[in-house]
Amino acid sequence: MVSRRSILPFALLAFVAWANAPIHSQTTANTTTTIKTKSQLVLVDVVVTNDKGEPITGLKQKDFEILEDGKPQTISTFEEHHGAPITQLQLPPLPPHVYTNFPLVQAADSVNIILLDALNTPARDQVYVRSQMLQYLKTIPSGTRVAIFTLASQLRMLQGVSTDSKELLAAVNSTNAAQQSALLPSDAENDANQRRIDFLTQEEQGPPPKTLAASAVDPVQAAKQFIADTAAFETSQRIEITLQAMQQLARYLTGVPGRKNVIWFSGSFPTAIFSDPDLPDPFNIATSFRDEIRKTTDLLSSAQLALYPVAAEGLASDAVYQANNAEIGQKRPSLAIRDQVKQMQSGALSRDLNHAAMEDMAKDTGGEAYYNTNGLSGALARVINNGTRYYSLAYAPTNAAMDGKFRRIQVKLLNGKGTLAYRRGYYADDLSTALSAGEKPASDPLLPLMGRNLPDYTQILYKVLVQPSNPQPAPDAPHIGSNTEMKGPFTRYSVDFAISVGDLKLDPTPDGSRRGSIEVVLLAYSREGKPLNFVVTQGNVLLQAKDYEIVQKSGLQIHKEIDVPNGYAFLRTGVYDYRTSNAGTLGLPLTDAVTTAVK
């Protein structure tokens, strides 16, 4: 097994039998990748706070008891963390045009990730959140490690992990930090919908229809159903995009050592779309996302990540009492009172569901939820202060069966008093059998991780040699890549991978050879982030027994090519293992077509 701390030498070997499969270039929003922890040694981070919410330090191993499914476990390792500085790894010089996704950060107690959720947050609340963030970042303690991401139609990294407050402030002040959600209706749109219903209701003659068939042709009921269906679809899309972003974030943070505190500023995150008894078809929009949220929570936990949801609206109040630009229409008093009561009820239900979802996500990952507070900068300071002071407990489960069942974790404080925050369980799932041999998801699992502004993922480590092919193809030669509309002139780039086989699941066969199933992707972007061309190859890996030992030392060698228009381009490379659902990616800029690639 190749150590993830070793650096693979780059050599062009030819020991891979690579069977090309049909290329799939499209993904669907509801496809997610599930990873569950393989439990040989279970690691649990515990934050202990007093009645004032301040971290309690100085506790010893004998002060803790840990149970799994109610049975006491023996703590094998114990460590207290105080926010130790990171250790930067100095890699040996690489040959020209060779790059690696090997993580340079090798040790740290904790890293803080700020996620600005524009997808689920109204524009007015985003302005408030940004002002509170700027207020905190101007006084951030020296040495605090923070990265900043934003979420709109997709996840974007505004600033990688940094201790420089100027860099962090610049990221929050950038235009990319302020985005508008295309799936979140504005106050003006909600008011317009309500005025439409009010108008139709006032024009309606006679009692409302009592049957589903009659409701289908009734203008008031039909309008209500249409508005509800549209809202349900938009909410469903927001949930799916949010879950995918959380999974992408967890994959990135898997390669970052130590505890990861994700501070998630969001306006809403409903766990389900509930039935509405006022609609003619109450169950038409009743859909639960609890299973997908559970899968995402599991991936976050396995990445040693704690989620701290922060309600972006600050101190919440009923919308009926808020001053806005809504028109004051001519409405019968009975209708106005009815609408106000319903608005207050729906607003209270929505807030309760959001807060319950925040509490569940925080509790399951060992974090804490913050809502009904105007002191968002104070909440941010508290999360970072508490999240850097924690205890790491590890144990080997007495139940060693990898049966895929959920194991509940309980941590108790034997001496003294305190509030404990820790992840509440894991799935005892063996990743080697999570996907059967050759099984592939219905849509491409790697492309969602290949976005221009996404970070590099390090679950699978590799080196890559990128340089223009020599010789270049003739001007009239067929293009390599899936973009058939690409205009010349272009340059053909040769991309040679050396992949760590220790990060792949290669199953032994009776004759001693090794088999696996992976995907390799090349995706070129313009300076503006527009996709230029891409190559997607899915296939099987076959290593003969005599070659496997050599490949362990040199890496799994794969050669690919891609044509890119002349001028600046940014190339994203990626590897995905179907047997473990792990991924590795690396992005690098390309210079002018006739020269070479630069780091």
Side-chain angles (χ1 to χ4, degrees), residues 415-481:
N415 300 306
K417 295 182 179 180
T419 301
L420 279 61
Y422 55 92
R423 65 183 177 114
R424 301 305 170 119
Y426 69 98
Y427 284 93
D429 198 7
D430 189 344
L431 292 180
S432 64
T433 58
L435 290 175
S436 62
E439 182 180 353
K440 298 181 176 63
S443 62
D444 195 294
L446 182 55
L447 287 182
L449 306 177
M450 298 289 290
R452 170 63 178 84
N453 293 289
L454 288 178
D456 295 331
Y457 299 97
T458 59
Q459 291 174 316
I460 299 176
L461 299 180
Y462 61 87
K463 284 185 177 184
V464 63
L465 169 64
V466 181
Q467 56 187 350
S469 299
N470 187 15
Q472 286 289 304
D476 58 348
H479 289 181
I480 294 180

Side-chain angles (χ1 to χ4, degrees), residues 548-589:
Y548 181 64
E549 184 177 351
I550 301 175
V551 174
Q552 282 184 300
K553 298 177 180 179
S554 63
L556 185 64
Q557 309 296 319
I558 295 176
H559 173 81
K560 303 303 296 181
E561 293 181 338
I562 186 172
D563 291 337
V564 179
N566 288 358
Y568 176 89
F570 188 87
L571 180 66
R572 290 278 286 171
T573 66
V575 178
Y576 184 86
D577 185 358
Y578 284 104
R579 304 288 177 91
T580 64
S581 299
N582 285 342
T585 64
L586 174 63
L588 55 109

